[in-house]
Amino acid sequence: MVKKAAPDSTRRSARSRRAIYDAALALVGEVGYPRTTIEGIAARAGVGKQTIYRWWSSKAEVLLEAFTDLSAQAAEAAARPGPAGNGQGEGGQGEGGQEENGIPDTGDLAADLRLVLRATVDELLDPKFDIPARALAAEGVVDEQVGAEFVTKLLEPQLQLYVRRLRSAQEHGDVRPDIDPRIALELFVSPLAQRWLQRTGPITHAYTDTLVDYALNGLAPRRPSPPPSAASPGGGPAAPARP
């Protein structure tokens, strides 16, 4: 008699976890955070609620992990060569040099920031990211614990990628050594987040390119370099006049 192979519990657990992620993100987008429940997530995912409680202690933990996983999938897709990705996402080693699992470091800070912020715009305009992210962000405003977990587990790790890239720019002399990278990154990240959350204007690649330009070059008029002295073709000091 041929014995049947035992079910692969690891694969079954992975399928269940994926179903729970998908269910949690779908529900919070459809009914909002307050009306999303562990029971509702379990029913949508086709699992028992005890399965969820075995892995997570609250719906906030489920949703934050699900959203983190969604962001990781996007980063992997962006890093994948071919039509679906540009080969220069946040993971791996792209052409021109790139910090592994970080923001590209090609030696051109402005270009690297523009690349990542454009990818962020694309993500925020995708309903599968926009809807659950907006629901979690809104709940974080009224629920201090959810807000703290949202920042600690999801936002801050991403912001630290900018910190590392700006520190690298400092080491190469592309950014003033006295600036605080954690504050500096808010010059381009925070305006994008505000415009997205409050819908004060469209978020586009052109918009984030402008944010990078303003952040790196400032708002003061750019003074042209003084022209070389007309009396000195080589640009040095003019010869004294003869008596």
Side-chain angles (χ1 to χ4, degrees):
M1 179 178 180
V2 178
K3 292 184 179 180
K4 293 184 178 180
D8 187 336
S9 59
T10 302
R11 183 175 299 177
R12 185 171 63 246
S13 294
R15 284 199 302 267
S16 296
R17 189 177 290 268
R18 175 65 54 202
I20 292 167
Y21 287 165
D22 293 343
L25 293 172
L27 274 177
V28 77
E30 292 171 10
V31 304
Y33 182 90
R35 295 177 62 189
T36 298
T37 64
I38 292 291
E39 290 77 10
I41 295 172
R44 182 83 168 240
V47 301
K49 67 179 182 179
Q50 67 275 9
T51 299
I52 295 179
Y53 281 119
R54 188 166 65 245
W55 291 328
W56 302 280
S57 62
S58 68
K59 68 178 182 181
E61 287 188 5
V62 179
L63 285 162
L64 287 168
E65 187 171 316
F67 198 79
T68 301
D69 175 77
L70 187 64
S71 297
Q73 289 185 64
E76 290 175 7
R80 196 177 305 130
N86 58 21
Q88 299 178 24
E90 293 187 4
Q93 182 75 26
E95 291 183 11
Q98 177 177 327
E99 179 185 343
E100 189 172 354
N101 296 320
I103 289 175
D105 190 347
T106 65
D108 185 334
L109 178 61
D112 295 343
L113 293 177
R114 284 195 294 266
L115 176 69
V116 173
L117 288 170
R118 284 181 172 209
T120 302
V121 166
D122 293 341
E123 184 173 299
L124 292 175
L125 292 175
D126 186 339
K128 73 178 180 181
F129 289 92
D130 174 79
I131 294 172
R134 202 174 284 279
L136 283 169
E139 185 63 21
V141 172
V142 297
D143 188 319
E144 185 175 350
Q145 181 177 353
V146 172
E149 290 191 22
F150 188 75
V151 169
T152 301
K153 295 182 178 179
L154 186 63
L155 294 184
E156 192 58 33
Q158 295 179 0
L159 295 178
Q160 286 302 314
L161 301 178
Y162 288 97
V163 170
R164 291 200 293 272
R165 181 62 186 89
L166 289 170
R167 282 181 178 154
S168 173
Q170 284 179 309
E171 292 169 1
H172 289 87
D174 297 325
V175 170
R176 281 175 21 210
D178 59 310
I179 66 109
D180 181 337
R182 184 59 183 77
I183 296 175
L185 68 87
E186 294 178 1
L187 295 173
F188 40 85
V189 172
S190 295
L192 174 59
Q194 180 184 23
R195 182 175 278 210
W196 169 70
L197 277 171
Q198 299 182 351
R199 306 181 196 272
T200 56
I203 56 172
T204 63
H205 291 175
Y207 171 65
T208 51
D209 286 356
T210 301
L211 288 180
V212 171
D213 179 55
Y214 286 1
L216 297 185
N217 297 303
L219 302 179
R222 298 176 187 173
R223 303 178 188 276
S225 301
S229 170
S232 177
R242 298 189 179 198

